[in-house]
Amino acid sequence: MVEPLVLGIETSCDETGVGIVRGTTLLADEIASSVSEHARFGGVVPEVASRAHLEAMVPTLERACSTAGIRLDEVDAIAVTAGPGLAGALLVGVAAAKSLAVALGKPIYGVNHLAAHVCVDQLEHGKLDEPSIALLVSGGHSSLLLVPDITQDVIPLGQTIDDAAGEAFDKVARVLGLPFPGGPYIDQAAMSGNPKAIDFPRGLTSARDLAKHRFDVSFSGLKTAVARWIEREQAAGNSVQVNDVAASFQEAVVDVLLRKAIDACLSNSVNTLVLGGGVAANSRLRSEAQQRCDEHGIKLRVPSAKLCTDNGAMVAALGSELVSRSRPPSGLTFPADSAMSIKLPVAP
Ligand code: KG4
Ligand code: ZN
């Protein structure tokens, strides 16, 4: 059987992504980012992001077709992020995808952004093991998922009860005077810092917290602890060692995420862990995950850094898996759902 040719569109935040895959082979992954337009506000401005998606959509689509060497009418299906994400931003992608589906007479799949972050690993490391545990860490989400079937059965085990992991990176970067988005800058600064310099708190890891929040995470206490520590040092007239603070903060985030992810694998007797989302681009998270998985005989799958941050290829990857498994398309009435539940990998 010829593998399906699928176009994927991603507009949930500040990246306009268009990906094209055949089966699990990546043919094009084009991105236009509006991140520089948000930098001076220290966070993504929804209206600015929506406008940027509108302007970037057609040129990005054209670039993707040209890179893949295909015409739009050759695709077998169209996939688009239906949620979760910024409502106005999602709407641009969903409207574009629906217009293409109608004009070209092709089936459309409205897919879940988080499920797409998990599925993208198939483009590099072959079919996902079933079940897998997925640790999804991005600017908007931190989730631990049990994934028996990425196209129709995803079970949330835990999530953040306050800030997402990426949000914590971005906020701590801000107090350290690093640019937005802060994750990559903290990663870089931490490389020449001492991760043991400051013993920052590990949220929701005490026996009492574990009873109620075994697989949940919390980063707001850590964020506050970093800010207070910097204030105290400054008040005492000491110069703040940015690299040590970055490394110690990063160590606390990585430690908590991995303790919970490994516990999820062991307690569910699952021996594959998949990482996904922007924070999975973090070099310390990647190396420490490998070490702890090796210690426990768990297979680790991590997409390359470029496929961890938001992109269209991940949406195409999940679309392709839906087509391969003969799952029914979404129909034309599904909404852009800013709060779409991960229990719905694809909109009905
Ligand atoms: O998945 P993503 O591109 O967008 C969302 O769906 O949110 O994730 C963006 C987040 C930002 O918070 C960014 O600071 C973080 O991922 N990030 C990183 C790194 N690269 C991106 N965090 C830590 N280390 C990195 N190397
Ligand atoms: Zn994302």
Side-chain angles (χ1 to χ4, degrees):
M1 190 192 107
V2 182
E3 293 186 299
L5 182 66
V6 179
L7 175 82
I9 297 178
E10 154 63 34
T11 63
S12 69
C13 192
D14 57 344
E15 257 96 36
T16 312
V18 179
I20 298 172
V21 305
R22 181 170 304 277
T24 56
T25 306
L26 178 61
L27 302 182
D29 181 21
E30 296 295 330
I31 290 172
S33 176
S34 60
V35 68
S36 60
E37 293 174 53
H38 309 290
R40 70 192 168 99
F41 301 104
V44 176
V45 184
E47 287 306 317
V48 174
S50 309
R51 165 70 53 175
H53 286 309
L54 265 178
E55 287 166 3
M57 182 57 65
V58 171
T60 312
L61 260 172
E62 285 172 346
R63 279 212 318 277
C65 287
S66 141
T67 306
I70 62 141
R71 289 189 325 267
L72 270 179
D73 61 5
E74 291 177 73
V75 304
D76 296 305
I78 292 158
V80 61
T81 302
L86 301 171
L90 288 166
L91 209 51
V92 178
V94 169
K98 286 182 179 176
S99 313
L100 284 172
V102 171
L104 300 166
K106 307 288 180 180
I108 182 170
Y109 293 86
V111 309
N112 189 300
H113 182 81
L114 304 183
H117 266 305
V118 177
C119 201
V120 74
D121 193 60
Q122 294 205 146
L123 300 179
E124 293 182 321
H125 302 119
K127 292 276 178 183
L128 281 177
D129 301 294
E130 293 175 343
S132 290
I133 293 287
L135 171 64
L136 265 191
V137 275
S138 71
H141 307 274
S142 301
S143 307
L144 258 175
L145 310 169
L146 171 63
V147 188
D149 177 345
I150 194 61
T151 64
Q152 61 179 13
D153 189 13
V154 178
I155 302 162
L157 299 176
Q159 60 185 342
T160 179
I161 61 166
D162 40 56
D163 292 350
E167 210 178 338
F169 270 92
D170 297 342
K171 288 178 178 169
V172 165
R174 199 170 178 175
V175 291
L176 286 173
L178 298 170
F180 172 84
Y185 295 96
I186 292 209
D187 195 345
Q188 187 64 37
M191 282 176 193
S192 43
N194 174 7
K196 296 204 175 97
I198 310 149
D199 189 16
F200 284 130
R202 270 61 171 163
L204 301 186
T205 56
S206 69
R208 201 162 132 244
D209 284 335
L210 284 174
K212 200 166 158 214
H213 293 289
R214 183 167 177 181
F215 300 118
D216 293 326
V217 289
S218 160
F219 297 113
S220 99
L222 170 61
K223 180 190 70 190
T224 308
V226 175
R228 290 294 101 79
W229 189 90
I230 294 172
E231 279 165 20
R232 276 199 307 275
E233 287 299 296
Q234 286 170 336
N238 300 331
S239 68
V240 173
Q241 299 298 317
V242 171
N243 296 358
D244 284 347
V245 179
S248 302
F249 157 76
Q250 177 175 276
E251 201 64 12
V253 175
V254 166
D255 182 30
V256 171
L257 289 175
L258 292 176
R259 279 196 219 183
K260 304 247 169 179
I262 300 281
D263 183 23
C265 289
L266 299 178
S267 60
N268 287 283
S269 305
V270 172
N271 59 5
T272 301
L273 173 65
V274 190
L275 301 191
V279 180
N282 182 265
S283 62
R284 181 71 186 140
L285 179 61
R286 297 166 82 93
S287 62
E288 186 65 12
Q290 191 62 62
Q291 181 154 345
R292 294 196 197 186
C293 282
D294 288 348
E295 278 164 23
H296 291 94
I298 295 166
K299 182 165 129 198
L300 177 68
R301 299 176 53 139
V302 198
S304 60
K306 181 164 188 268
L307 291 183
C308 284
T309 45
D310 289 349
N311 62 79
M314 66 191 213
V315 179
L318 179 51
S320 171
E321 190 60 25
L322 288 158
V323 175
S324 303
R325 296 195 180 208
S326 306
R327 301 285 180 243
S330 297
L332 279 170
T333 54
F334 70 88
D337 180 358
S338 62
M340 189 175 188
S341 162
I342 185 58
K343 290 185 194 156
L344 265 189
V346 58

